[in-house]
Amino acid sequence: QVQLVESGGGLAQPGGSLRLSCAASGRIFSINDMGWYRQAPGKQRELVATVTSGGRTNTAESVKGRFTISGDNAKNTVYLQMNSLKREDTAVYYCHAELRRSGISYYTHYWGQGTQVTVSS
């Protein structure tokens, strides 16, 4: 009964900014990490950035210096601040979480439904 709810996608101008949010809800015992992946038409899904509950981040080279990932452990929420957007950032962005449900002894992976980000003039 865990779900990931994404928000913040939409249309931006080149050089503009968007902020994505993803909140994990349900009977969650602990979260190992949360993050964002994206998939453009005709391309494979790729890592954008992840953050662990301890605050360690991993960011793709293609967005380093432009995108910043952060998390709020109390809210089970991860954010992606996207600045200096480029047309090649256009993709469906998917939230991902690796977490333990209450009463379950192992980590499982969950995906959000995806949110469209379009960068166009």
Side-chain angles (χ1 to χ4, degrees), residues 31-104:
I31 296 176
N32 186 43
D33 63 82
M34 295 182 68
W36 295 92
Y37 294 71
R38 68 185 183 185
Q39 188 166 23
K43 297 183 179 180
Q44 291 187 326
R45 187 174 298 186
E46 64 177 359
L47 169 75
V48 178
T50 60
V51 60
T52 70
S53 60
R56 294 185 179 183
T57 61
N58 183 31
T59 306
E61 194 68 29
S62 61
V63 304
K64 195 168 295 182
R66 300 187 297 118
F67 293 7
T68 302
I69 192 167
S70 62
D72 185 334
N73 288 336
K75 295 182 178 180
N76 289 337
T77 298
V78 66
Y79 307 95
L80 185 68
Q81 179 66 47
M82 303 186 293
N83 298 326
S84 302
L85 283 163
K86 304 175 180 179
R87 288 182 175 85
E88 50 263 46
D89 295 318
T90 296
V92 178
Y93 284 69
Y94 295 92
C95 181
H96 171 267
E98 183 181 50
L99 56 83
R100 283 181 60 189
R101 292 186 292 153
S102 296
I104 306 299

Side-chain angles (χ1 to χ4, degrees), residues 9-13 18 85 87 89-91 93 116-120:
L11 177 66
Q13 300 284 330
L18 287 172
L85 283 163
R87 288 182 175 85
D89 295 318
T90 296
Y93 284 69
Q116 178 71 45
V117 171
T118 301
V119 184
S120 177

